[in-house]
Amino acid sequence: MPVLNIVGDNSPHIEATVNFNGRLDPARCTWMKMQEAGMVLEEQPIKVAEAIRLFLQGLGYTLSTRSRSVTSSPLKLSAVGERRVEPNLESLNFNENLKI
């Protein structure tokens, strides 16, 4: 079974992970030390996600990501740090709701 072993460079468990990694089959395991982290999932979640993605890609799995077009999004930025939601009026059909 493939193993990805990740530890932060500020973690008190570096030696334990090195010992654990040494007992595993080197062809089936990867050991990684992340910089500027003690608790990698809390302090570097984006780097951990990228490491997992690359690890799975190395095993032959492909991951597809969904991308949304900026032009189709109803969420628009109006100022720095301020968000404003505007409805997409083009997709509404006002005639359907009229009863005469």
Side-chain angles (χ1 to χ4, degrees), residues 45-74:
I46 295 172
K47 286 185 180 180
V48 171
E50 182 69 12
I52 292 171
R53 186 185 69 80
L54 292 172
F55 178 73
L56 291 173
Q57 188 177 20
L59 294 175
Y61 296 100
T62 58
L63 302 174
S64 62
T65 58
R66 295 182 191 183
S67 62
R68 286 181 41 173
S69 173
V70 175
T71 58
S72 66
S73 175

Side-chain angles (χ1 to χ4, degrees), residues 1-5 24-25 27-30 55-56 59 61:
M1 172 181 279
V3 176
L4 174 61
N5 196 356
L24 299 173
D25 179 12
R28 306 288 288 167
C29 65
T30 302
F55 178 73
L56 291 173
L59 294 175
Y61 296 100

Side-chain angles (χ1 to χ4, degrees), residues 76-94:
K76 296 184 180 182
L77 295 177
S78 58
V80 176
E82 181 183 344
R83 292 183 173 184
R84 185 178 73 212
V85 177
E86 294 180 4
N88 185 358
L89 298 177
E90 296 172 0
S91 66
L92 297 176
N93 187 349
F94 292 106

Side-chain angles (χ1 to χ4, degrees), residues 2-58:
V3 176
L4 174 61
N5 196 356
I6 302 175
V7 67
D9 66 347
N10 296 329
S11 173
H13 306 290
I14 295 175
E15 188 175 330
T17 61
V18 170
N19 290 336
F20 175 70
N21 194 61
R23 289 186 247 142
L24 299 173
D25 179 12
R28 306 288 288 167
C29 65
T30 302
W31 183 83
M32 175 184 252
K33 181 166 67 171
M34 292 202 173
Q35 295 179 348
E36 301 175 8
M39 300 291 290
V40 292
L41 286 176
E42 293 178 8
E43 298 172 22
Q44 299 288 350
I46 295 172
K47 286 185 180 180
V48 171
E50 182 69 12
I52 292 171
R53 186 185 69 80
L54 292 172
F55 178 73
L56 291 173
Q57 188 177 20

